[in-house]
Amino acid sequence: MRFMSIISSAQVGMPTPELMEAIGKLADREIKAGRMIDTAGLMPMETGVRVSIKDRKIVVVDGPFVEAKEVVGGYAIFEFQNKEEALALTVEFMQLHIDHMPGWEGTCEVRPFFPPDMNPCSTHSVVVEVA
């Protein structure tokens, strides 16, 4: 069963080197075990863009987004047997923040993907070209 974890926080700034090292060790272990499929941290909000629909029109806003109360800092995609396995690794990941980044507060949301038979994109190849 595939899960995505999304880390968010109201606090901005780079993680401590100690936290990055600890996360790297955890990621290495999970990659070697075949459970981690992909992961990445995200650049600061000022480097992003939001595309939304308002009054049936597409609206594009460059970052930073001053109204943001929490910022998504990164994600990871895993293949687990069940939700309990996903939860156990997420608790371990969040403990690394307690241990290596005192004072940090945030959330890691863990959600399962739709199964392939319910995903309309699973039968299509998606190619995005960037000029």
Side-chain angles (χ1 to χ4, degrees):
M1 188 173 210
R2 195 164 281 193
F3 288 85
M4 176 178 267
S5 63
I6 305 159
I7 187 87
S8 60
S9 176
Q11 296 169 267
V12 294
M14 293 297 293
T16 64
E18 296 82 11
L19 178 60
M20 293 301 289
E21 182 180 343
I23 290 172
K25 288 178 183 177
L26 180 70
D28 285 345
R29 183 191 79 201
E30 294 303 307
I31 289 167
K32 287 176 183 168
R35 290 184 291 263
M36 182 178 277
I37 296 166
D38 190 24
T39 187
L42 299 175
M43 296 291 290
M45 285 191 324
E46 56 266 13
T47 64
V49 62
R50 283 187 181 162
V51 180
S52 57
I53 297 173
K54 186 171 183 173
D55 297 325
R56 299 183 44 87
K57 293 183 181 161
I58 293 177
V59 178
V60 177
V61 177
D62 288 322
F65 314 113
V66 293
E67 70 278 2
K69 299 216 183 324
E70 283 197 339
V71 177
V72 175
Y75 72 93
I77 300 172
F78 295 95
E79 187 70 40
F80 291 124
Q81 294 297 314
N82 51 46
K83 184 177 179 181
E84 291 74 23
E85 198 175 294
L87 177 59
L89 183 68
T90 303
V91 169
E92 182 180 357
F93 173 73
M94 293 300 273
Q95 184 64 47
L96 295 178
H97 289 73
I98 291 171
D99 296 344
H100 300 288
M101 202 159 168
W104 183 88
E105 292 185 357
T107 302
C108 189
E109 181 178 341
V110 181
R111 293 171 52 191
F113 280 71
F114 277 112
D117 63 332
M118 292 180 64
N119 185 349
C121 296
S122 66
T123 60
H124 306 300
S125 294
V126 178
V127 177
V128 178
E129 292 186 26
V130 179

